[in-house]
């Protein structure tokens, strides 16, 4: 588990923190990305009250193991989850130059999914300065 602080050193230390994802099944939605039946990543989707005002769905975490990146798996997984829920979406990613791959992934994936109808800004969030992506898929079926 990656954390910005040294408060959690092992996966065992994370149990109590991560258990919330299984304790609120009508509000928090954890997904495992399977590749050939083997876990290869995960997506954590939050809904109010765990989102900013005016946001229906927030991509809290998104991860795919390094060896499977660049093969379309992550974009397909994101599209499947986006299609599950219709409304105003928000996600953050690190704005630093070292995260060029992450920003490029979200720009390409969201452009493909929304036919280019999304916003990207840099701003202050609960997680510090971030690149913020937003889109609304209510009433429309974007993905192919």
């Amino acid at each position: 588990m990656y954390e910005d602080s040294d408060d959690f050193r092992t996966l065992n230390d994370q149990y109590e923190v991560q258990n919330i994802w299984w304790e609120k099944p009508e509000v928090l939605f954890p997904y495992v990305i399977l590749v050939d039946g083997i876990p290869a990543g995960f997506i954590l989707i939050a809904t109010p009250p765990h989102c900013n005002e005016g946001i229906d769905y927030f991509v809290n975490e998104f991860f795919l193991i390094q060896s499977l990146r660049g093969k379309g798996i992550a974009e397909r997984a994101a599209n499947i989850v986006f299609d599950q829920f219709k409304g105003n979406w928000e996600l953050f990613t690190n704005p630093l130059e070292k995260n060029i791959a992450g920003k490029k992934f979200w720009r390409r994936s969201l452009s493909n999914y929304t036919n280019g109808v999304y916003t990207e800004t840099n701003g202050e969030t609960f997680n510090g300065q971030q690149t913020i992506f937003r889109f609304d898929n209510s009433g429309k079926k974007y993905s192919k």
Side-chain angles (χ1 to χ4, degrees):
M1 299 296 288
Y2 169 77
E3 290 291 340
D4 289 330
S5 72
D6 292 331
D7 294 342
F8 304 103
R9 297 194 176 147
T10 69
L11 187 57
N12 192 52
D13 292 342
Q14 280 283 321
Y15 283 155
E16 197 168 314
V17 173
Q18 298 300 327
N19 278 343
I20 192 172
W21 289 96
W22 287 265
E23 294 168 351
K24 296 185 173 188
E26 301 302 318
V27 177
L28 301 173
F29 301 90
Y31 292 91
V32 174
I33 300 170
L34 299 175
V35 176
D36 297 327
I38 299 170
F42 60 90
I43 306 170
L44 303 178
I45 304 298
T47 65
H50 302 283
C51 300
N52 285 324
E53 188 173 329
I55 299 299
D56 301 309
Y57 304 101
F58 176 68
V59 180
N60 189 277
E61 296 284 343
F62 189 97
F63 174 79
L64 183 69
I65 61 172
Q66 186 76 36
S67 63
L68 294 175
R69 294 178 188 174
K71 299 179 180 187
I73 296 166
E75 184 171 346
R76 179 73 183 127
N79 289 350
I80 290 169
V81 171
F82 295 155
D83 283 346
Q84 296 289 313
F85 306 101
K86 301 298 183 183
N88 290 313
W89 284 82
E90 181 177 67
L91 65 94
F92 307 152
T93 194
N94 186 325
L96 299 178
E97 195 61 34
K98 68 180 182 178
N99 188 37
I100 192 73
K103 289 187 288 188
K104 184 177 177 183
F105 166 77
W106 285 116
R107 287 175 183 140
R108 181 186 64 248
S109 296
L110 293 177
S111 183
N112 289 341
Y113 183 77
T114 68
N115 296 316
V117 184
Y118 70 93
T119 63
E120 175 183 343
T121 59
N122 287 315
E124 191 64 29
T125 72
F126 64 83
N127 200 25
Q129 227 10 268
Q130 297 285 304
T131 298
I132 304 163
F133 292 94
R134 293 187 181 110
F135 67 96
D136 182 352
N137 68 347
S138 57
K140 298 182 179 172
K141 173 115 173 72
Y142 288 117
S143 66
K144 296 162 178 74

